[in-house]
Amino acid sequence: MANNFSRFISVACAAIAAFGGILSAAPAAAQGDLLVAPTRIILDGRRGTEVILSNIGSEEATYRIELELRRMTATGQLIDVETDDANELEQAALAMVRYAPRRITLPPGQPQSVRISARPGAELPDGEYRVHMSFRAIPKPTPVTEAPEDSQGIRIKLVPIYGVTIPVIVRHGRLEATVAISNPQVAEGVRGPELRLAMVRNGTKSTYGELRVTRPGSDEPVFLARGIAIYSEVAERAMEFDLTPEQAAAMKGQLRFEYREMPEAGGAVIASVDAVLG
Amino acid sequence: MKKFLRFGAASAVVAASLGMSSVAQAQDTATADAFAEILTALQLELDAGSKLDFGSMVVTGAGTVSLDADTGALNCTAAGIVCSGTTETATFNVTAGSALKDVTITFDTPAVTLLRSGGVIGTAADELELTNFNSDAAFITDPMGDYYEVTLGATGLATFEVGGDLTFDGTELAGVYQGSFAVSVEYS
C-alpha cells in the first residue's frame, strides 16, 4: 500500500509539474497565485487523503495552510466563525482533523501534497463534522520604497493577500438526509430575471449536487446550476439564480426541478418537484 | 473547465491537452491496469499586472477617495483632496472544475490601516484607512451580513474586481503608504 501510494504521488507530481509548466508559460502572473485540488474533501475517518497545492504564479511563494470554521447561512453564504465562538460540533471537527505540512514554500509551477486525515474518537456521536481548509500566500516583505516623484503627493502601495478555502467534511456513523424543493418562481431581481426557490433539508448529512430545470419530454436542461451545497447546519436554503432573458423566457409552463447528486457522484435524484410557472 | 489529474499506474500516458486554454480533458491511453482519478481544481490568480491603485493624491483636508469596482470610476470630490494619475481596481480570476457554481468572495478584514513608509505606527499623520471593500461580483443581501458571490461561467472561470475607500483625516504627510488587504474565495 505504502509503495503504491508513493508511486501514485510521484506520478501525480510529474503530471502536475507538467501542468504547472504549461501554466507558467502564460503571461507573468503575480506572486501568490495558487491552485488547490480537489475542491471538496470527504473523510470517513478510516483513510486519509491528500490535497494538492500548486504555485501557479511566476515567483516563489510561501503558503500557509490553516483550518478555519465557516457556517452556512440560509442564502448560502459561508460566514467565518472564530474558534472562541465554535459550538461543540465545530470544536470536535477542529480537534479531529490532522494535516501536514502547514507551511509550504514552492517555486513557480511546483506542486506539493498536503496529507490530511481525521481521527474521530470512539465516543464521538454520529454526525457530520466540517472544517474549511484555507490556503493563503504569505506576502513577501516589500522593499523600502523610493520617495515618490511628486514629493507633495500621497501614493498607496497595496499588497493583496489572497487565498481559497475548501470544505473538509468528516462523516462519522450512519448519516442520511432528505431534501425538498419548494416554491420555485421566476421574479425580477436587481440584476434582471431570477429563478428563486427554497430547498428544505432534513437529516444529519449535508447534500451536494446540481439543480436541473427541464421541460417535459426533454433531457436538455433549460437551466443548470452546479455545486450546490446544503450543509448540515442549514435547514432551509433560499436560492436566487440570475437568468439570461432566454432562460427566463424558457422557464414558463410545465417544468421539472431536480436536485441531483453531481454526475461524478452518480447523479442520483435527491429531490424533485413539478411546477407550472406563469 | 479546469480538471486536475492524478494517475495511479506508471503506464498511464498523459495527453498534452492538460491545462490548455479551455477544456482540459484526460485522454487516457493507458492499459487496463491503470486508473486515473480526475480531481477538480480550484485556482485563484491576481490578473497579470493588476493591482488596486488609487493613483496619487495631494491632501490638504479630510475626505474620502473611493474606487468603485463596478464601474472602475474614482470618486475624488472631497474639497481637500486632489487626485491624479491612473487608477485601477484589482482583478482576480477564479477557476474551478465546476461550471455554473456560485462561490463566496470575502474580504477578511473590514478595515486596513496603511502606514507611511518611514512613518510611525499610531501616528495620525502617518496612517490612513482603507475600508469598504467592494466588488463587481453579485451583491447578495443576507440577514447575517451582506456579501459578494460570483458564478463560475460555462468554462468554470469567473473574474471579479476589487475596489475600496481611502479615508483621510487631512493631516497625512506626503509619501508612500503601504498595507495589505485580504481576499478569499470560499468553495462550498
Side-chain angles (χ1 to χ4, degrees):
Chain A
M1 182 62 201
N3 248 345
N4 273 344
F5 186 74
S6 59
R7 188 173 63 184
F8 166 87
I9 291 295
S10 64
V11 180
C13 288
I16 296 152
F19 185 19
I22 293 162
L23 284 174
S24 59
Q31 184 243 336
D33 291 354
L34 76 173
L35 176 151
V36 172
T39 50
R40 311 181 96 232
I41 296 168
I42 296 176
L43 297 168
D44 61 7
R46 285 190 295 275
R47 277 178 50 199
T49 184
E50 85 271 3
V51 191
I52 290 150
L53 168 67
S54 184
N55 177 358
I56 56 168
S58 54
E59 288 175 41
E60 181 183 272
T62 298
Y63 301 89
R64 188 166 51 220
I65 301 143
E66 289 174 311
L67 297 184
E68 298 177 1
L69 295 171
R70 296 283 186 277
R71 269 177 221 158
M72 185 174 266
T73 67
T75 72
Q77 176 181 199
L78 293 172
I79 286 189
D80 186 30
V81 176
E82 297 297 325
T83 318
D84 292 346
D85 303 329
N87 61 30
E88 265 176 46
L89 270 174
E90 291 162 341
Q91 282 170 358
L94 278 178
M96 78 174 82
V97 174
R98 307 258 188 281
Y99 69 102
R102 297 179 176 214
R103 199 182 162 101
I104 303 178
T105 300
L106 295 171
Q110 182 71 46
Q112 187 176 329
S113 51
V114 177
R115 303 292 316 273
I116 176 162
S117 63
R119 297 278 157 75
E123 71 292 347
L124 189 77
D126 282 4
E128 188 172 282
Y129 299 82
R130 192 181 76 247
V131 292
H132 291 255
M133 194 171 228
S134 98
F135 300 83
R136 191 181 295 284
I138 304 167
K140 284 190 181 144
T142 45
V144 177
T145 327
E146 63 283 6
E149 304 110 49
D150 172 10
S151 59
Q152 294 302 301
I154 285 177
R155 287 197 63 86
I156 311 293
K157 197 164 176 176
L158 295 169
V159 181
I161 305 172
Y162 49 101
V164 300
T165 68
I166 61 167
V168 177
I169 296 166
V170 184
R171 291 191 172 141
H172 183 64
R174 286 180 65 84
L175 306 176
E176 47 194 46
T178 57
V179 174
I181 300 173
S182 81
N183 200 20
Q185 50 177 304
V186 174
E188 198 60 26
V190 245
R191 292 175 300 278
E194 282 178 359
L195 168 63
R196 294 179 189 163
L197 54 85
M199 288 198 197
V200 181
R201 194 198 58 85
N202 269 297
T204 45
K205 202 169 84 165
S206 63
T207 57
Y208 189 66
E210 59 184 30
L211 174 71
R212 293 169 66 90
V213 183
T214 50
R215 292 169 158 289
S218 167
D219 262 354
E220 192 59 38
V222 293
F223 177 79
L224 180 64
R226 292 214 177 91
I228 300 173
I230 312 175
Y231 287 143
S232 48
E233 66 269 28
V234 180
E236 178 168 343
R237 247 199 83 174
M239 303 185 188
E240 293 177 357
F241 301 98
D242 291 351
L243 298 176
T244 63
E246 297 74 40
Q247 286 172 328
M251 242 181 259
K252 287 198 164 68
Q254 183 74 37
L255 293 165
R256 184 169 184 82
F257 295 80
E258 283 182 333
Y259 180 47
R260 287 169 173 260
E261 302 253 8
M262 296 294 277
E264 56 268 31
V269 176
I270 305 169
S272 71
V273 69
D274 291 307
V276 178
L277 298 195
Chain B
M1 196 178 303
K2 203 69 70 179
K3 295 284 186 189
F4 210 66
L5 289 163
R6 53 186 173 192
F7 287 87
S11 57
V13 178
V14 187
S17 64
L18 248 181
M20 295 307 281
S21 56
S22 60
V23 183
Q25 291 282 354
Q27 304 292 326
D28 188 357
T29 58
T31 49
D33 64 337
F35 80 88
E37 184 183 357
I38 298 173
L39 299 180
T40 50
L42 174 62
Q43 267 177 235
L44 180 63
E45 294 166 285
L46 181 65
D47 200 47
S50 170
K51 58 179 186 289
L52 180 53
D53 188 352
F54 285 85
S56 61
M57 287 138 277
V58 176
V59 177
T60 53
T64 300
V65 175
S66 307
L67 247 180
D68 183 344
D70 244 332
T71 60
L74 183 78
N75 183 329
C76 185
T77 51
I81 303 173
V82 179
C83 298
S84 62
T86 53
T87 62
E88 190 187 348
T89 51
T91 308
F92 290 90
N93 300 317
V94 49
T95 316
S98 288
L100 312 175
K101 178 182 167 69
D102 293 337
V103 294
T104 305
I105 298 165
T106 52
F107 303 105
D108 296 15
T109 38
V112 174
T113 300
L114 310 179
L115 181 67
R116 188 175 63 84
S117 190
V120 177
I121 294 171
T123 310
D126 287 335
E127 290 184 339
L128 58 92
E129 287 269 289
L130 174 61
T131 55
N132 286 344
F133 292 104
N134 65 87
S135 173
D136 65 337
F139 184 71
I140 312 290
T141 50
D142 184 329
M144 302 293 289
D146 301 341
Y147 65 104
Y148 290 100
E149 117 186 336
V150 282
T151 304
L152 302 168
T155 59
L157 173 74
T159 293
F160 61 93
E161 308 281 335
V162 173
D165 290 1
L166 286 177
T167 307
F168 297 88
D169 66 9
T171 65
E172 288 84 359
L173 298 170
V176 177
Y177 287 73
Q178 304 193 22
S180 60
F181 63 99
V183 178
S184 290
V185 168
E186 320 260 5
Y187 201 86
S188 63

